[in-house]
Each structure stands twice: as C-alpha cells, then as structure tokens.
C-alpha cells in the first residue's frame, strides 16, 4: 500500500502562513487530495487533484506538488482553522490516507 | 443537495457481524459515482474500506476483502456495509462517502461510532 507521511502537529499564530506537508512512499502523480476535520465532524474536502480548490472553500487554502511530495498551504491562518488535516491519494489501489496533521493556534 | 446518513448498532460483540446502512437523499445511487465506506480508528487513522459503484460493482481494500461485503437496495436508495468476525480492532467511527472516478471524497455522512466489546 502507498504510505502517506505527515508531521503529527503544528502550532502557528493567527495571520501567519502555514504549510502542511505530505510525502508518499511511491509516486501518486497528482491524485492527491486534502481534507480538514474538526472534532465531532466529518472530514471536509479542501483541495483535490493536488492543487484544485473545492467549491466553497476559502482561497486562503491552496495546494501544490506532484509525484511524492505535496503541500497544503493556509495563508493567512485564522482561528477557525484549528483542525486536523489529512492527505489522501487515489493513484494506487487501495486508496490511502496520511496520519493527519493537527493544527493548533497559539 | 446530496446527503448521506449512516445508521446501525453502536455496540457489537466480538466474533459477530457489524452491519451498517447508508441512506442517501438528493441523488440516486444508480445514476453515477462510487459509494464508499471509510472508517476512522480511535488513534485518528483513516482507512478506506471499499465501494459499490452506480452499476453495482464492488471494490474492496485487500486488507479487509475476506471479511467485508458492500451491497445496496436501489428501491430505498441505500447501500450497506457488513464486516464479519469483528474484533476489538474494528472499533471505529464509520463513514459513508460519495466519490468521483478520481476517488476524492466530496460528500460524507456524519459518521457513526461502532464499539466492539463483550
């Protein structure tokens, strides 16, 4: 299976720029997607196909990357962005998720 | 707008079967898309379990292939998950979700917690 590795946690101040990384154990082309999950809620799709903003998602969120290295950027970070962020690949079956990066605001 | 809602028992005994229902409103499951089950373990790991597509074909995660079955009732616009021979390691929040061919999960249910315990 394709393993997706994310840093466990990050802490930033409101108004700053934050980058969340996701590294794949093998190429996933650009079939990488990003989700935000808040406690007690279902995951919410933010970015699809590495760099496409899902409808209704603020333009503060952006994605980049291809192959094995991907990044989700939030600029500027707001208090409401406190959540866990997951990457997910759909190039290799079975589809897999990263372990999640918990974003905390200082 | 499409909405998905999971339902089923919150407690299952070890060695028994886990059965969940996903009720879909706002879109026919026979029209298009793939209809998935995903679970989130207590440690926050997410696992894709499998899907049934609009034609009724299925695809399962090989790690679960021998134990799971995804079926549907098109008259009720519902699809189902069954996991056999459960253990405590199947304790998780179970989500149903709709995906495109690119298998990004754009619509999710609220999730339902299933605990496996005697």
């Amino acid at each position: 299976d394709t393993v997706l590795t994310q840093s466990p946690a990050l802490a930033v101040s409101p108004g700053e720029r934050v980058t969340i990384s996701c590294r794949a154990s093998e190429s996933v082309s650009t079939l990488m997607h990003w989700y935000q999950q808040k406690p007690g809620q279902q995951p919410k799709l933010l970015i699809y196909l590495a760099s496409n903003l899902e409808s209704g998602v603020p333009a503060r969120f952006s994605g980049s990357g291809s192959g094995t290295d991907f990044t989700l950027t939030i600029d500027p970070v707001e208090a409401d962005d406190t959540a866990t962020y997951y990457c997910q690949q759909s190039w290799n079956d079975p589809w897999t998720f990263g372990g999640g990066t918990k974003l905390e605001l200082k | 707008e499409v909405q998905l809602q999971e339902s089923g028992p919150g407690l299952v005994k070890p060695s028994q079967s886990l059965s969940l229902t996903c009720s879909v409103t706002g879109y026919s499951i026979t029209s298009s898309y793939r209809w998935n089950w995903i679970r989130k373990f207590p440690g926050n790991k997410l696992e894709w379990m499998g899907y049934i597509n609009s034609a009724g074909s299925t695809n399962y995660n090989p790690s679960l292939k021998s134990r799971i079955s995804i079926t549907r009732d098109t008259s009720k616009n519902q699809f189902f998950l069954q996991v056999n021979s459960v253990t405590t390691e199947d304790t998780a929040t179970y989500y149903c979700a709709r995906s495109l061919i690119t298998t990004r999960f754009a619509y999710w249910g609220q999730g339902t917690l299933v605990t496996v315990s005697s």
Side-chain angles (χ1 to χ4, degrees):
Chain A
D1 296 2
T2 303
V3 176
L4 303 181
T5 302
Q6 298 181 244
S7 299
L10 287 171
V12 298
S13 299
E16 291 186 344
R17 177 177 184 267
V18 65
T19 59
I20 298 171
S21 65
C22 176
R23 174 162 288 179
S25 61
E26 58 188 318
S27 178
V28 299
S29 184
T30 56
L31 269 67
M32 182 67 78
H33 322 292
W34 290 92
Y35 302 84
Q36 176 194 65
Q37 187 172 29
K38 298 180 179 180
Q41 297 184 16
Q42 68 271 55
K44 174 186 175 182
L45 179 64
L46 300 174
I47 301 289
Y48 63 94
L49 298 175
S51 61
N52 295 275
L53 190 68
E54 176 71 353
S55 177
V57 174
R60 304 183 290 105
F61 293 88
S62 63
S64 65
S66 65
T68 61
D69 291 295
F70 298 86
T71 299
L72 172 70
T73 299
I74 311 172
D75 186 14
V77 172
E78 296 182 358
D80 188 53
D81 298 334
T82 297
T84 300
Y85 293 84
Y86 295 92
C87 55
Q88 175 246 326
Q89 66 82 22
S90 60
W91 179 252
N92 300 308
D93 191 351
W95 329 132
T96 52
F97 292 85
T101 297
K102 187 173 183 179
L103 181 65
E104 297 181 341
L105 269 64
K106 298 177 184 175
Chain B
E1 182 183 352
V2 61
Q3 293 187 333
L4 298 91
Q5 179 67 58
E6 306 87 352
S7 60
L11 182 64
V12 180
K13 294 186 186 310
S15 80
Q16 294 188 342
S17 293
L18 176 164
S19 296
L20 297 174
T21 298
C22 182
S23 300
V24 180
T25 56
Y27 195 87
S28 171
I29 63 172
T30 62
S31 290
S32 187
Y33 301 111
R34 295 171 175 174
W35 304 89
N36 299 264
W37 288 99
I38 297 162
R39 61 183 178 178
K40 183 178 181 182
F41 298 103
N44 289 333
K45 175 186 173 183
L46 285 162
E47 178 181 60
W48 169 75
M49 302 179 73
Y51 69 72
I52 186 165
N53 68 15
S54 57
S57 299
T58 55
N59 183 30
Y60 301 135
N61 189 320
S63 69
L64 294 164
K65 198 168 188 175
S66 63
R67 291 202 297 135
I68 76 166
S69 175
I70 299 176
T71 58
R72 65 181 185 174
D73 182 336
T74 58
S75 67
K76 295 182 178 179
N77 214 37
Q78 296 174 327
F79 63 105
F80 312 103
L81 171 71
Q82 180 170 315
V83 182
N84 299 320
S85 304
V86 298
T87 71
T88 55
E89 295 189 351
D90 292 305
T91 293
T93 297
Y94 287 76
Y95 298 95
C96 54
R98 188 182 88 171
S99 68
L100 298 168
I101 293 297
T102 55
T103 320
R104 63 184 189 262
F105 305 105
Y107 291 93
W108 298 66
Q110 295 278 3
T112 187
L113 175 62
V114 177
T115 301
V116 179
S117 176
S118 55

